[in-house]
Amino acid sequence: MTADMRRVAIASCAICTFLNLYSTQSVLPFIAAELGIGAARASMVVTAGTLAVALTAPFTGAVSDRLGRKRIILTAMTLLMLPTLMLALSDSLGELVFWRFLQGLLLPPIFAVTIAYIGDEWPKGEAATMVGIYSASSAIGGFLGRFIPGLLNDHFGWRGGFVAIALLNLVCVGVTLWLLPKEKNFVRATSLAASLRQMFSHLGNRRLVATFAVGFGVMFNFMATFTFISFHLAAPPFNRSAFFLGSIFVVYLAGSALAPFSGRFVQIFGRRRFVLWTLGLWGAGLFLTLTASIPAIVAGLLVASTCGILIQATSTGYVAISAPAGTSAAVGLYVLFFYSGGTVGGWLPGIAYDLAGWPASLAMVFAMLGLMALIVALFWKEPGER
């Protein structure tokens, strides 16, 4: 198996995950309109998935450290097609939330285990680059998950988009089955209990906990920004279509192009300095979304998404190479914090949006950026650094 084929397999796992996770975002205003509900209630369709991910990710890592990698990844990818198809047949908010929750349960066995696979199968010097490729592919999956339902909404409704996502899941299963080699460097945990103990021991590592907190902030901001900007642009004076709302997520592709170089940026600037400057640029980009100009808003989203993807790649790579043992368990904890941030970010700014519109939601994002910068400044110090 060539190195390029392994990279394609890793990319397929990442695309499959985020294709499904973000598949409701661009059509959420239209789901809300059909069901006659507001932004805060509609956001339950998004947060049900992220909540399920947050609840199961740490235990997925522990189970993976016991059972292995490829088998778990493929099983989850195959089962994922069922809830995705059932979303297309749902007629109520309760049904959508249920199938989104089930969909979310099946995502950690794909992406958390894939990151652990990278940590096991690539030397540390190459792992950061592979995580960058994984992050870039995640961005592509996130874009497609938003773009495809938006593209199909005008002709087939939002349900047609979920059918298309399920078919793409099938393609990802085939690619992964064919191109992902069985793990060779996997060291099995002595027992599931030992793996769980190892997972909780990571909570004693201040640098890792600080990285988990940054992950919480990244996903909080992504969900708050890209969920409620859709409501903002679908409402007057913009009145934009589902196709347009799906198309604006092309901004993710810029971040996906730069993500593989995140390791290089860290080497040049230092991890802490690079992330602090990137957080500042992220905030500057978001200011543009307060204007009445569509080009300016899209430019702001371009800057924000690129900065977020770079910080996510940097944080994920830091977890993958910093855990002294139990890589999958450490990644599972990171994912717990990351998607807990997404759950809160998909809910709390929705309440703010219903009360005072997009500026109120955005104020929460700015507050989170400031908190992330404080955490990085205080706790992302390398050994021997004051």
Side-chain angles (χ1 to χ4, degrees), residues 82-218:
L82 173 61
T84 307
L85 281 172
M86 292 305 297
L87 284 169
L89 301 176
S90 298
D91 293 318
S92 69
L93 178 62
E95 290 178 30
L96 286 167
V97 168
F98 173 79
W99 291 114
R100 280 287 292 173
F101 187 83
L102 186 57
Q103 199 179 40
L105 293 178
L106 293 168
L107 297 182
I110 304 172
F111 68 83
V113 180
T114 300
I115 295 172
Y117 181 99
I118 292 171
D120 291 339
E121 302 300 315
W122 272 269
K124 284 194 173 183
E126 299 176 21
T129 299
M130 282 307 305
V131 170
I133 291 172
Y134 171 89
S135 297
S137 303
S138 300
I140 293 171
F143 163 68
L144 292 175
R146 296 167 171 106
F147 177 72
I148 291 171
L151 175 67
L152 297 178
N153 183 78
D154 291 341
H155 300 288
F156 303 101
W158 53 266
R159 290 178 175 81
F162 291 126
V163 173
I165 298 295
L167 293 175
L168 287 174
N169 287 345
L170 180 61
V171 173
C172 291
V173 169
V175 170
T176 305
L177 177 65
W178 180 36
L179 297 181
L180 187 70
K182 185 175 175 57
E183 58 272 16
K184 296 179 181 178
N185 300 319
F186 170 67
V187 178
R188 191 183 307 275
T190 55
S191 69
L192 181 58
S195 183
L196 288 170
R197 285 195 299 271
Q198 194 171 61
M199 177 182 70
F200 288 113
S201 72
H202 293 309
L203 295 175
N205 185 323
R206 289 198 308 168
R207 194 170 293 114
L208 276 177
V209 171
T211 307
F212 300 157
V214 171
F216 179 99
V218 169

Side-chain angles (χ1 to χ4, degrees), residues 213-214 217-218 221 279 282 311 367-377:
V214 171
V218 169
N221 287 345
L279 284 169
W282 189 346
I311 293 175
M368 182 59 71
L369 286 173
L371 182 59
M372 292 164 66
L374 181 62
I375 290 170
V376 171

Side-chain angles (χ1 to χ4, degrees), residues 299-345:
L301 293 174
L302 173 65
V303 172
S305 63
T306 301
C307 291
I309 289 166
L310 287 172
I311 293 175
Q312 166 64 356
T314 304
S315 300
T316 307
Y318 198 27
V319 172
I321 66 176
S322 295
T327 305
S328 186
V331 170
L333 277 175
Y334 178 83
V335 171
L336 166 63
F337 280 81
F338 187 74
Y339 285 101
S340 295
T343 301
V344 178

Side-chain angles (χ1 to χ4, degrees), residues 229-241 244-245 289-295 297 358:
I229 195 69
S230 293
F231 282 92
H232 180 56
L233 295 176
F238 300 107
N239 298 311
R240 296 293 169 162
S241 68
F244 176 83
L245 298 180
T289 66
L290 292 170
T291 70
S293 165
I294 288 292
I297 291 173
W358 173 241

